[in-house]
Amino acid sequence: MANIHEVADAAGVSISTVSYALSGKRPVSDETRRRIEEAVQRLDYRPNAGARMLAGRRTHILAVTEPLRADTHAPTHMAFVLATAVAARREDYDVLLLTEEQASAGMHRVATSGLADAIIVLDVAPNDERVGLAHHIAVPSIFVGVPDASEGLVCVDLDFDGAARMGVEHLADAGHGKLGLIGHAPEAYELSNFPPRVRDGFVRSAAERHVEGEFRMLTGEGRTEARARRAAASLLDAGATGILLHCNDDAHNGVLSEIADRGLRIPEDVSLISVGSTLDTTAFDVPLSSIPLIPHLSCDLAVSLAMQFLSGEPPEPGVRLIPPTSVDHGSIGFRAASPGEA
């Protein structure tokens, strides 16, 4: 890559004149500016981030704050990091990844040092410490997720409440009168914003459709698959014939193993739908219908909103929810009501 010395030589000017032309700190004649711009384009010169910061210009870096905790499901979270990086490159931006568990520390450091032009906030907690910081720093912040105190923020996310409602609708429309939801471990309902939204959407929608709905978390001892098996067993013993899965791949496998070991068939005996996950649900032993979480939809929108901030026309604060869509892989079967249920 060319350096500023080569640009100066090509344009027939001094290094300081190139710096003045690019920073705008001192006037440069139109003819000199034209020669410098032609040299910059011909040599594909790009000022480094430090020089741009000293000149008060954009760094062309987006910071992504993604706290990696012990309970983090890395494949899901890294899918969002990758989707953000891809969207940023389309805008000629690079990504600076901040992974401190104390997420506000990295966010504060970036804001005070001028390392990035905007911040994308991932893995949002209901009571997220980064909310207060976002209100007090000059660097624009876009949240991929919806904290409890979202007023005044720019947030984007899948409509998880709507996704759960859609799952209930599919199962209720297929004649299932008793439904179950298998979710995450209890800590997820304290540390992440989306599991409670799925749970609450499930409970409300089941009540509105006048079907029974029971919720199970992955509790107790043992590996994830074993805890999911216990949750599935509890729902099946209670008479559930339609189950929504909002959990990771190990938990999905545990549910499928429990159903298979009981000699039950999907969808003839039990209907399943995976809700709000990034999993490839066709890779399981039984392909599962799904209402997927698609990282690039949220991240593309978040980066687009960041670019609006940087263009001088900041978007209005508010929550922008992406409508859910469903994909049918044949794991929901129609269940006719028995005489006692009619």
Side-chain angles (χ1 to χ4, degrees):
M1 184 178 293
N3 58 44
I4 194 170
H5 299 273
E6 293 169 309
V7 172
D9 288 343
V13 298
S14 67
I15 294 172
S16 59
T17 300
V18 174
S19 178
Y20 296 149
L22 296 179
S23 67
K25 285 197 167 185
R26 292 190 184 181
V28 174
S29 70
D30 291 343
E31 173 59 24
T32 299
R33 184 180 301 280
R34 181 188 62 76
R35 295 203 312 272
I36 292 171
E37 289 175 349
E38 288 179 352
V40 165
Q41 292 179 2
R42 185 168 67 253
L43 298 172
D44 192 28
Y45 170 68
R46 301 183 185 186
N48 64 41
R52 285 196 295 268
M53 286 186 287
L54 290 173
R57 301 174 66 199
R58 294 188 189 178
T59 65
H60 279 261
I61 294 173
L62 295 181
V64 177
T65 166
E66 166 61 87
L68 296 180
R69 304 182 300 268
D71 66 304
T72 296
H73 186 246
T76 297
H77 292 277
M78 287 301 102
F80 278 85
V81 172
L82 176 60
T84 302
V86 171
R89 284 309 309 152
R90 286 199 295 267
E91 300 290 345
D92 198 27
Y93 265 73
D94 292 310
V95 161
L96 172 65
L97 180 60
L98 310 172
T99 60
E100 294 100 330
E101 187 167 350
Q102 297 299 318
S104 60
M107 187 170 168
H108 182 267
R109 184 176 68 253
V110 164
T112 55
S113 64
L115 283 171
D117 296 331
I119 301 172
I120 307 296
V121 182
L122 301 180
D123 194 14
V124 177
N127 185 25
D128 202 296
E129 63 184 12
R130 294 168 292 181
V131 168
L133 185 57
H135 287 301
H136 291 96
I137 60 177
V139 178
S141 302
I142 299 88
F143 284 67
V144 180
V146 185
D148 290 344
S150 61
E151 184 176 358
L153 300 176
V154 175
C155 304
V156 303
D157 208 356
L158 173 68
D159 182 359
F160 281 98
D161 180 291
R165 288 173 174 270
M166 183 177 285
V168 169
E169 292 290 328
H170 287 339
L171 292 170
D173 288 347
H176 295 272
K178 185 150 190 173
L179 308 182
L181 168 65
I182 296 177
H184 296 272
E187 55 267 25
Y189 296 85
E190 299 293 330
L191 299 176
S192 295
N193 74 95
F194 57 92
R197 290 155 59 198
V198 172
R199 175 199 61 204
D200 295 347
F202 168 78
V203 171
R204 283 193 293 266
S205 186
E208 291 166 2
R209 287 299 303 262
H210 305 290
V211 296
E212 293 184 57
E214 295 193 19
F215 168 59
R216 298 288 188 273
M217 291 184 288
L218 304 184
T219 57
E221 300 298 323
R223 300 174 67 88
T224 298
E225 187 166 339
R227 288 183 288 161
R229 287 191 68 139
R230 291 197 297 269
S234 172
L235 290 174
L236 293 169
D237 289 344
T241 60
I243 299 176
L244 292 80
L245 303 177
H246 183 230
C247 42
N248 66 24
D249 49 354
D250 288 339
H252 279 65
N253 280 318
V255 173
L256 290 172
S257 295
E258 180 64 26
I259 291 171
D261 286 353
R262 287 175 174 240
L264 300 175
R265 300 164 300 163
I266 301 170
E268 291 85 356
D269 302 312
V270 182
S271 290
L272 297 180
I273 183 167
S274 180
V275 174
S277 75
T278 60
L279 304 172
D280 176 7
T281 59
T282 66
F284 295 112
D285 291 340
V286 178
L288 299 180
S289 299
S290 68
I291 301 169
L293 170 61
I294 305 173
H296 81 81
L297 295 180
S298 298
C299 297
D300 285 359
L301 179 54
V303 170
S304 176
L305 291 166
M307 295 302 107
Q308 286 186 44
F309 270 112
L310 300 176
S311 72
E313 298 181 1
E316 289 293 325
V319 176
R320 294 154 173 83
L321 294 178
I322 297 169
T325 57
S326 63
V327 183
D328 180 15
H329 293 302
S331 64
I332 296 178
F334 182 80
R335 182 175 183 273
S338 65
E341 297 173 322

